[in-house]
Amino acid sequence: METSHVSALQLKHAGLERRIHEELSRPMPDDAVVQSLKKRKLRLKEELARH
């Protein structure tokens, strides 16, 4: 597996983590947005685990 591909996945994962935190920090977090971001983050984590 290319290191650059793994690095790109890790960056995307970190970006999603940040977006989840930002959404949860809002006065009225949007649960649908949070759930969507968490699902995307989980898929990235699973892909990283395969590599």
Side-chain angles (χ1 to χ4, degrees), residues 14-30:
L16 286 170
E17 182 75 34
R18 190 181 68 250
R19 287 178 61 194
I20 290 167
H21 179 73
E22 288 170 359
E23 185 65 31
L24 291 174
S25 297
R26 292 177 48 200
M28 297 285 290
D30 186 333

Side-chain angles (χ1 to χ4, degrees), residues 1-13 48:
M1 168 53 42
E2 285 183 35
T3 310
S4 62
H5 182 66
V6 171
S7 295
L9 291 175
Q10 289 170 334
L11 280 173
K12 286 180 185 178
H13 186 271
L48 279 165

